[in-house]
Amino acid sequence: MMYTSARVQTGSKKKKSTGKRILKGFLYFLLFLVLIFAGLIGYIVMVGKLDPPQVADKSALQLQRKALDQSAYTIGNNWFRKSKSGLYELYVEGKPFERGVIYGKLADELVKRQEDHFTEQIRKMIPSTTYLKFLRYLIGFFNRNLDEYVIDEYKKEIYGVSFAGSPNYGYIGTNYERIMNYHAAHDIGHALQSVALVGCTSFATWDEQSADSSLIIGRNFDFYVGDKFAEEKIVAFYKPSEGHKFMMITWAGFTGVVSGMNDQGLTVTINAAKSEYPTGAATPVSLVAREILQYAGNIKEAYAIAAKRKMFVSESFLVGSAADNRAAIIEKTPDSLGMYTPGQHFVTCTNHFQSDQLKGTVSNEKQMAESASMYRYERLRELMERNGPNTVQNTVNILRDHRGLHDKNIGIGNEKAINQFIAHHSIVFKPKERKFWISTAPWQEGEYVAYDMNKIFEMKGLQTDHEICDSALIIPADTFMRTDTFRNFLTYRKLKAEVADHKKVDPAQIVASNPMFYHAFVLAGDQAFKDENYRIAKDYYQQALMRVIATKAEEVYIRKQIDACDEKSLK
């Protein structure tokens, strides 16, 4: 297996590797000192200040929304509503600043709540006030010139949205500074590798690989910033003053794209790849994807847009095109660009590069050897081959799959599974028909609600209690939710949250709730270790090693804990 061969090194290579690690550590220590110095002479002055763009006409700020009912609002032709599915739906049009202001006014409460959810989860993930302050300087340093890499159109739109920002976080920065920086959250999340936020899966089929020969694209967006963050998804429809009309799945206050389709039948989804720590600002990945969606009509045009933007992290853009009736993967790093065009009529994408230009890089080979990406990639190919010519229903079935290779039970929530039960959203596109299916809570388990883009853009305003989805095409909820296994998994998540909140939890309960998942045993071991029951803790860690572990880093942690148990037992 590649996981073993990737670890074999000669003595000289080990020395060189050690030397590089020491040098890298020294450079990061110097960076730390620079950041602290910057903090001492003023964060806002030195690294964090972002001035909003100049806007000549701010008359949109005087607009007022009109309530159709308790969950539906309009401003002219623009509208915002909550559907019976639990999804929010938004339609905005006009010039950049105007549509940003309207977006913020229509979704005012959600914009404020979303920031509350985001900051609450960050505090849970990083409870140390000292480290939070350090990250504040770190991110401010990385993004100190962020607006220089964002086109004027998007700066004006973000500025418009920022007027709906929360009044509670001025100590972090102005509304504009905060919302601009939130657009780089995806990038920072996977650059700071110790904070695992992203790990997505996507694929496409066409010609003989699709039952009706049309292009079908499916993706899970596994961006996790807490359960509350994913509760209020927005299906947004944009009719900008320039470029193509498009839709995207988003959250309040966010104008970038992570999954979307335009009126030309071009789709964009993003998948994080292995990145080094960033050293300076560049265009956020989501805004590169947004520009592609708004201004590209085919794969060639999408590639040209990606080529002219500088990014500070590595990313894969799976681009589907009705005009080309195929999909391709644009792979981009801070200093390189590649295109993966498969020789067959399907393409699969997890979190490593496949193009000739980038697949052989050291960082990519490390990603393939030590992360969950390659395992998930192989499982995806296995399911696609088994299911035969693809359909929308088959795509949903694959996106919901929670087992390992050869249907092995690897526990519920394993990062090596296609369905990790953390997805912000899951979506299926049929570009030629301009239709898409979007998941409803929880994760991929609820109904997939269908929309016809052509019909949405033909609407003139919104009527009270008017459902805009295509109810005849809804895909039913997963029957897995009715099983004891699923109910036990919910118990596991509850216990895991209690551990994170430093509550005392019975380790035996944790493993009983998810007995095939290695991480259940890690949590149980950590709890027993904390309680100074080192013999019991060691047993849990050893049982974790007998299961399918997602990453090399986690395996290393488990083995270190076993050694620590032995050392503690001898004292």
Side-chain angles (χ1 to χ4, degrees):
M1 289 293 288
M2 63 174 297
Y3 302 100
T4 302
S5 61
R7 295 197 295 270
V8 178
Q9 297 181 359
T10 65
S12 62
K13 285 184 178 180
K14 284 183 179 179
K15 290 179 182 177
K16 289 179 181 179
S17 178
T18 301
K20 286 181 179 179
R21 285 198 299 270
I22 292 171
L23 177 60
K24 182 180 286 187
F26 178 68
L27 291 174
Y28 285 134
F29 178 71
L30 289 179
L31 174 60
F32 176 84
L33 294 179
V34 170
L35 293 172
I36 293 300
F37 177 73
L40 290 174
I41 59 177
Y43 166 79
I44 292 297
V45 174
M46 291 301 298
V47 298
K49 187 67 174 175
L50 297 177
D51 293 320
Q54 295 296 314
V55 177
D57 182 4
K58 293 185 178 180
S59 60
L61 292 171
Q62 306 307 314
L63 295 171
Q64 298 296 319
R65 69 183 187 182
K66 174 184 177 183
L68 296 182
D69 56 36
Q70 291 184 337
S71 61
Y73 302 94
T74 64
I75 297 178
N77 289 332
N78 305 274
W79 46 264
F80 177 73
R81 67 183 297 276
K82 186 175 184 180
S83 72
K84 293 178 180 178
S85 68
L87 297 170
Y88 287 87
E89 298 157 344
L90 170 72
Y91 171 85
V92 291
E93 61 183 25
K95 296 181 179 180
F97 180 75
E98 176 188 16
R99 65 177 180 257
V101 169
I102 290 172
Y103 178 155
K105 286 179 177 289
L106 289 172
D108 181 80
E109 294 82 2
L110 261 66
V111 173
K112 291 177 172 62
R113 281 205 299 271
Q114 204 72 5
E115 186 167 17
D116 291 340
H117 299 332
F118 184 79
T119 53
E120 177 186 342
Q121 184 63 21
I122 293 299
R123 287 189 175 279
K124 282 186 177 181
M125 295 167 67
I126 309 171
S128 167
T129 302
T130 301
Y131 190 50
L132 273 174
K133 287 181 179 178
F134 169 66
L135 279 183
R136 177 189 179 194
Y137 294 124
L138 189 70
I139 293 169
F141 180 79
F142 292 154
N143 290 346
R144 64 197 181 281
N145 301 316
L146 178 61
D147 57 346
E148 295 178 13
Y149 295 91
V150 177
I151 63 175
D152 192 58
E153 176 181 0
Y154 299 153
K155 284 191 284 191
K156 288 178 178 177
E157 186 175 321
I158 290 169
Y159 182 39
V161 173
S162 74
F163 284 89
S166 172
N168 300 326
Y169 303 103
Y171 65 91
I172 299 176
T174 66
N175 285 7
Y176 175 69
E177 288 169 341
R178 297 196 318 273
I179 292 181
M180 176 64 78
N181 274 277
Y182 292 155
H183 281 75
H186 172 88
D187 312 57
I188 295 295
H190 82 77
L192 298 175
Q193 298 158 37
S194 61
V195 184
L197 298 177
V198 288
C200 309
T201 303
S202 57
F203 66 101
T205 61
W206 60 95
D207 290 346
E208 77 277 1
Q209 294 295 327
S210 292
D212 63 359
S213 77
S214 67
L215 178 62
I216 302 172
I217 298 151
R219 81 94 98 253
N220 287 337
F221 183 61
D222 294 313
F223 177 70
Y224 185 73
V225 195
D227 293 340
K228 290 181 180 179
F229 187 83
E231 285 176 356
E232 297 177 321
K233 290 182 279 289
I234 298 176
V235 186
F237 299 90
Y238 269 66
K239 185 181 178 181
S241 54
E242 296 181 31
H244 303 301
K245 294 176 286 187
F246 63 91
M247 61 72 52
M248 62 181 179
I249 308 302
T250 189
W251 50 90
F254 190 73
T255 66
V257 167
V258 295
S259 303
M261 176 168 63
N262 68 23
D263 62 357
Q264 305 300 298
L266 182 123
T267 69
V268 181
T269 62
I270 61 176
N271 285 49
K274 180 75 172 178
S275 287
E276 298 296 330
Y277 289 99
T279 57
T283 308
V285 167
S286 66
L287 293 180
V288 177
R290 163 70 186 271
E291 189 175 357
I292 290 171
L293 199 63
Q294 187 174 344
Y295 289 102
N298 55 46
I299 293 171
K300 182 179 179 181
E301 292 175 359
Y303 185 86
I305 291 172
K308 68 181 181 180
R309 298 298 171 210
K310 175 180 172 58
M311 298 183 344
F312 65 61
V313 292
S314 300
E315 199 81 14
S316 294
F317 299 84
L318 193 153
V319 177
S321 168
D324 300 305
N325 194 41
R326 65 180 179 90
I329 302 174
I330 300 170
E331 299 176 343
K332 188 171 176 63
T333 73
D335 53 16
S336 303
L337 182 68
M339 172 91 82
Y340 176 63
T341 303
Q344 58 278 328
H345 296 151
F346 69 91
V347 66
T348 50
C349 183
T350 49
N351 300 110
H352 62 271
F353 290 142
Q354 303 174 68
S355 67
D356 291 338
Q357 297 93 327
L358 296 172
K359 67 182 179 182
T361 61
V362 173
S363 61
N364 191 58
E365 289 181 347
K366 181 179 176 68
Q367 176 81 340
M368 294 171 68
E370 298 184 2
S371 76
S373 182
M374 196 65 194
Y375 186 102
R376 199 166 358 105
Y377 173 87
E378 291 171 355
R379 176 59 175 170
L380 179 57
R381 298 283 290 256
E382 181 179 76
L383 290 172
M384 291 175 67
E385 183 176 344
R386 176 188 302 173
N387 288 353
N390 198 26
T391 63
V392 171
Q393 180 66 65
N394 282 349
T395 303
V396 170
N397 294 344
I398 290 174
L399 295 174
R400 284 174 170 168
D401 183 75
H402 58 263
R403 291 189 172 270
L405 283 168
H406 315 304
D407 299 327
K408 183 180 178 66
N409 186 346
I410 59 175
I412 310 302
N414 197 314
E415 190 183 341
K416 283 187 169 178
I418 294 168
N419 180 2
Q420 303 170 43
F421 292 90
I422 61 169
H424 177 273
H425 65 264
S426 179
I427 191 166
V428 180
F429 298 102
K430 287 201 79 175
K432 185 177 181 180
E433 299 176 18
R434 312 301 193 265
K435 293 178 180 177
F436 63 94
W437 288 255
I438 176 69
S439 61
T440 60
W443 311 293
Q444 298 93 314
E445 300 304 295
E447 294 180 336
Y448 276 67
V449 180
Y451 292 86
D452 185 326
M453 271 183 63
N454 291 327
K455 291 181 180 179
I456 304 301
F457 285 114
E458 288 172 358
M459 292 170 54
K460 303 296 182 183
L462 180 71
Q463 303 301 315
T464 306
D465 194 31
H466 178 69
E467 288 294 320
I468 65 170
C469 67
D470 192 333
S471 58
L473 296 177
I474 289 176
I475 293 176
D478 193 353
T479 56
F480 178 63
M481 285 197 296
R482 300 200 290 267
T483 66
D484 288 339
T485 302
F486 182 75
R487 286 187 283 271
N488 289 338
F489 172 67
L490 296 181
T491 299
Y492 163 77
R493 294 185 83 253
K494 177 176 176 291
L495 295 172
K496 181 181 177 182
E498 290 177 0
V499 170
D501 290 337
H502 307 288
K503 296 179 181 177
K504 188 172 178 60
V505 179
D506 181 0
Q509 281 188 298
I510 300 174
V511 298
S513 65
N514 204 348
M516 294 305 297
F517 190 25
Y518 76 94
H519 197 63
F521 288 89
V522 175
L523 289 175
D526 289 348
Q527 184 67 57
F529 190 92
K530 181 180 178 182
D531 295 337
E532 300 182 357
N533 295 323
Y534 302 119
R535 182 186 60 79
I536 294 174
K538 180 178 178 179
D539 182 62
Y540 282 130
Y541 291 134
Q542 288 176 327
Q543 291 190 64
L545 288 176
M546 297 169 63
R547 286 158 175 79
V548 177
I549 300 172
T551 68
K552 179 62 179 176
E554 289 173 290
E555 180 187 341
V556 169
Y557 170 79
I558 295 167
R559 294 189 184 279
K560 284 184 177 179
Q561 287 300 102
I562 290 174
D563 291 341
C565 288
D566 289 337
E567 291 174 6
K568 294 286 187 181
S569 297
L570 292 173
K571 291 181 179 179

